[in-house]
Amino acid sequence: MNITLTRALALPAFGSALILAGCAEPATGTADQAAEQADDASPQDAFFAALSTHCGKAYSGSLVSEDEADADFVGAEMLMYVSECSDDRIAVPFHVKLDGADWDRSRTWLITRTEDGLRLKHDHRHEDGTSDAVTMYGGDTADDGSAAAQSFPVDDFSIEMFEREGLDVSVTNVWTVEVDAAGTPDARYVYQLKRTVEGGAPEPRDFRVEFDLTTEVEAPPPAWGWE
């Protein structure tokens, strides 16, 4: 794949995940069922339950932020696919097709339960399935968040990797994921990377994509390395 494109996409930190040992049965559910589960659940558990209602489903989305650094993504085709779910992990491959290029299937967002909340990691792979030099970056929730949104400040592992790979601008990254349960009116899934000068970044950064969860699309092929 185009190495320049690979590095450019790695900087915004799109995600991926460790390959799960076998595919769990797709979870089913509705907004009402997710709400019932959320009544006595922590915000992280409620968030995880809402995302689980989309297991086995794919949706289209688009770039909604206006950062000049992401000009190549304006109008690009994008798909997310909640491909694998278990009680502890949910894998969400992210596919993007830039103008004139083939589909880039190198990323999967992985959301995992921890003892203290949730963890977001990004498994970034090449077309032959091998791991990119910049992979498994992300972070853990630092607060309760909400049933609809969770934020993940960059962790020490990621900071060390970014510094090693010359991506020092990414050492203050904060990723945020928003999701509505299946059946929610105007439901959407949001992935955002943000860093601010106030947070220690040399310059602000805002990358945000949104997916329409009200209309399913055909599931894409597996992410690279997940075949």
Side-chain angles (χ1 to χ4, degrees):
M1 92 183 262
N2 184 291
I3 298 301
T4 300
L5 175 60
T6 301
R7 300 294 286 185
L9 295 183
L11 190 58
F14 304 140
S16 300
L18 296 171
I19 299 177
L20 306 182
C23 297
E25 289 296 322
T28 58
T30 66
D32 289 341
Q33 291 169 333
E36 290 176 6
Q37 295 176 29
D39 284 343
D40 298 318
S42 70
Q44 287 90 359
D45 287 341
F47 176 91
F48 197 90
L51 183 55
S52 295
T53 65
H54 298 284
C55 203
K57 302 174 183 179
Y59 306 96
S60 62
S62 62
L63 178 76
V64 297
S65 52
E66 299 180 347
D67 199 311
E68 291 183 4
D70 302 314
D72 289 344
F73 290 91
V74 175
E77 296 181 65
M78 297 180 182
L79 295 174
M80 60 162 284
Y81 177 34
V82 188
S83 62
E84 297 184 6
C85 300
S86 73
D87 291 340
D88 299 316
R89 296 184 293 188
I90 300 175
V92 185
F94 170 62
H95 307 256
V96 60
K97 185 177 184 180
L98 301 183
D99 186 35
D102 294 331
W103 280 98
D104 184 319
R105 307 188 191 279
S106 63
R107 298 160 192 83
T108 303
W109 295 307
L110 178 64
I111 294 178
T112 307
R113 293 185 188 274
T114 69
E115 291 183 359
D116 300 316
L118 297 175
R119 174 173 297 150
L120 171 68
K121 286 288 183 174
H122 304 75
D123 181 340
H124 187 184
R125 295 173 181 258
H126 297 286
E127 193 167 2
D128 64 1
T130 59
S131 294
D132 190 78
V134 180
T135 190
M136 296 312 297
Y137 48 86
D140 293 359
T141 50
D143 56 34
D144 289 342
S146 72
Q150 294 288 324
S151 292
F152 306 86
V154 63
D155 59 22
D156 291 340
F157 169 85
S158 304
I159 291 172
E160 292 177 5
M161 181 179 62
F162 289 147
E163 291 176 339
R164 183 183 69 242
E165 296 299 322
L167 300 176
D168 297 62
V169 295
S170 296
V171 300
T172 62
N173 282 357
V174 177
W175 297 276
T176 299
V177 176
E178 303 173 24
V179 66
D180 296 309
T184 303
D186 301 319
R188 64 178 183 170
Y189 176 97
V190 174
Y191 171 89
Q192 181 177 42
L193 160 69
K194 192 168 186 178
R195 51 181 178 259
T196 64
V197 173
E198 294 77 10
E203 58 184 28
R205 186 79 169 85
D206 186 14
F207 175 87
R208 183 181 176 95
V209 290
E210 295 185 3
F211 296 84
D212 178 4
L213 302 184
T214 66
T215 304
E216 289 184 56
V217 300
E218 183 178 354
W224 295 339
W226 289 66
E227 295 84 356

